[in-house]
Amino acid sequence: MPEINQFKGEVWPRKVAKKLLGKPFCSNSVADFPSSDDFQDLCFSTEEFVSSNIRPSGDQQKVTRKYKLFASTWNVAGIPPSDNLDLEDWLDTRDNSYDIYVLGFQEVVPLNAKNVLGPENNTISMKWNSLIKTTLNKHSNSFHSIISKQMVGIMVSVWVRNDLLPSIRHPSVSFVGCGIMGFLGNKGSVSLSFLLHETSFCIVCCHLASGGKEGDEINRNSNAMEIFSRTRFSSGPSLDLPRKIYDHERIILLGDLNYRISLPDEETRSLVLQKEWDILLKKDQLRGEIMEGRTFGGWNEGDINFSPTYKYYLNSDEYYGIVQGRKGEKKRAPAWCDRILSYGTGLNQTGYDRCESKHSDHRPVRATFNVEVEFLKRSNSS
């Protein structure tokens, strides 16, 4: 049986959630591997699915191999995808091929009371996964999902080439809710852990506290600290596997981190129109908080040479609030809310950009990496 997290600070949220909501606070799998018949979901816990491959016996040596990894985060604003939504541009499948795809979503469902407090709705997540599967398998390479998990609106899905499946071991999942009441899943993270050959990976998909007021960045820092301290992966009684995020060798964190630009709204809009990225980035909250040592110490991010990814009118290239005369609109200045960070050695970032899909009020952000992975090789093999 998978191990249930019992560490301090999470026992009472599970009990309160069950008492208030009349259900375990967790999520159903929407992956096609492992299937939902292969494991159970546990409230504020982790799952471990041990594959059947066995390490080779005899004399061995560790050899390094490089793989191409594509990572992307997209806040889809609770808008379900149409049946004919084209994902080829987003997933960069026309011109490039990758070995691993790491895809994070926020607001897969609207963050209303029904979805936050009611039964988990994975119908839309399944539709996204179906479109992803169709897109990735349209060309020569065949891909399979090793894990795909959802907590309210946060969803993360990892896809690998079919020939890598036997090399994936010990996938595990951990949920951290830090939204309403400090533990509900409208904000928080879904984190995945797995071994590729002999190298451990951790993928953290986040949706941090919103808000454009001065001081709201403190709430985002607090969410990040909660995620780092509360995320736990089960390791089993006889397995020496990573338990915490920082125990892993290759770590990617992606999501709607919600950090804004600390300038007056009108000045921000003017500088965005002039594409004065250097001036704006000096006032970027995330970079400022990192420089001050208040969050994400030691994390890396690629150079930002693209427009802020939030907030757009739907199906438009116009930023929210630019069009005059629309009553009842909240003034929300453009910001680089959607980010991808990495931690650890062996992750050589080769690209960082945004995609121009107009499906939501956010633009997807993408990063590519050459990832070093160690594997065991028989000493007498070629």
Side-chain angles (χ1 to χ4, degrees), residues 1-264:
M1 283 292 291
E3 177 181 310
I4 299 176
N5 290 332
Q6 294 292 343
F7 54 91
K8 185 177 180 181
E10 293 206 358
V11 174
W12 74 266
R14 292 202 305 272
K15 293 181 177 178
V16 173
K18 188 173 182 181
K19 182 78 171 179
L20 288 178
L21 311 182
K23 64 161 191 166
F25 183 61
C26 53
S27 173
N28 294 321
S29 166
V30 292
D32 59 337
F33 175 83
S35 71
S36 57
D37 294 333
D38 293 332
F39 56 84
Q40 297 176 330
D41 288 301
L42 295 176
C43 181
F44 281 103
S45 68
T46 59
E47 294 92 337
E48 180 184 341
F49 325 112
V50 181
S51 65
S52 59
N53 65 300
I54 301 173
R55 297 183 184 183
S57 59
D59 294 334
Q60 301 167 340
Q61 60 178 342
K62 281 190 175 182
V63 180
T64 300
R65 180 177 293 170
K66 290 185 179 180
Y67 292 103
K68 294 174 65 177
L69 185 148
F70 175 101
S72 184
T73 179
W74 193 1
N75 184 320
V76 293
I79 302 170
S82 62
D83 292 337
N84 61 352
L85 181 63
D86 187 351
L87 300 184
E88 285 199 78
D89 283 341
W90 172 44
L91 297 176
D92 193 24
T93 56
R94 290 191 178 97
D95 301 320
N96 292 292
S97 61
Y98 301 90
D99 304 299
I100 307 162
Y101 285 82
V102 173
L103 307 177
F105 293 86
Q106 303 80 44
E107 298 190 39
V108 168
V109 296
L111 301 184
N112 53 37
K114 178 181 178 182
N115 288 324
V116 174
L117 301 176
E120 199 75 70
N121 177 5
N122 65 6
T123 304
I124 297 172
S125 301
M126 292 175 69
K127 189 170 184 179
W128 278 109
N129 266 354
S130 177
L131 288 168
I132 292 165
K133 182 176 182 179
T134 299
T135 304
L136 293 182
N137 290 294
K138 187 175 181 178
H139 300 287
S140 56
N141 287 333
S142 295
F143 287 86
H144 213 77
S145 172
I146 59 168
I147 319 176
S148 186
K149 298 295 291 182
Q150 177 188 355
M151 179 183 73
V152 189
I154 304 169
M155 173 183 140
V156 60
S157 189
V158 176
W159 299 73
V160 302
R161 290 197 332 259
N162 280 347
D163 60 290
L164 290 180
L165 283 176
S167 303
I168 300 290
R169 295 181 293 116
H170 310 301
S172 182
V173 186
S174 180
F175 306 96
V176 173
C178 46
I180 299 168
M181 297 177 63
F183 69 89
L184 292 184
N186 56 304
K187 294 293 189 289
S189 65
V190 178
S191 300
L192 309 180
S193 170
F194 61 91
L195 265 61
L196 174 56
H197 295 294
E198 302 304 311
T199 300
S200 60
F201 283 75
C202 184
I203 311 300
V204 185
C205 181
C206 302
H207 194 181
L208 305 186
S210 60
K213 301 190 300 296
E214 183 178 353
D216 284 340
E217 65 273 16
I218 297 173
N219 296 329
R220 297 184 259 280
N221 295 348
S222 177
N223 285 175
M225 290 177 61
E226 286 285 300
I227 289 165
F228 292 136
S229 65
R230 289 167 51 192
T231 298
R232 293 288 189 279
F233 301 101
S234 64
S235 63
S238 60
L239 297 172
D240 183 20
L241 296 174
R243 294 295 307 274
K244 302 178 183 179
I245 291 173
Y246 286 116
D247 293 341
H248 293 77
E249 295 163 290
R250 314 282 184 263
I251 310 170
I252 294 174
L253 182 145
L254 70 173
D256 181 357
L257 306 189
N258 253 321
Y259 287 94
R260 310 303 169 90
I261 297 170
S262 296
L263 287 172

Side-chain angles (χ1 to χ4, degrees), residues 360-379:
S360 121
D361 57 354
H362 291 248
R363 294 293 188 264
V365 170
R366 310 178 295 189
T368 55
F369 300 86
N370 285 331
V371 183
E372 294 181 1
V373 174
E374 289 186 335
F375 72 100
L376 292 175
K377 179 182 178 182
R378 291 184 184 276
S379 299

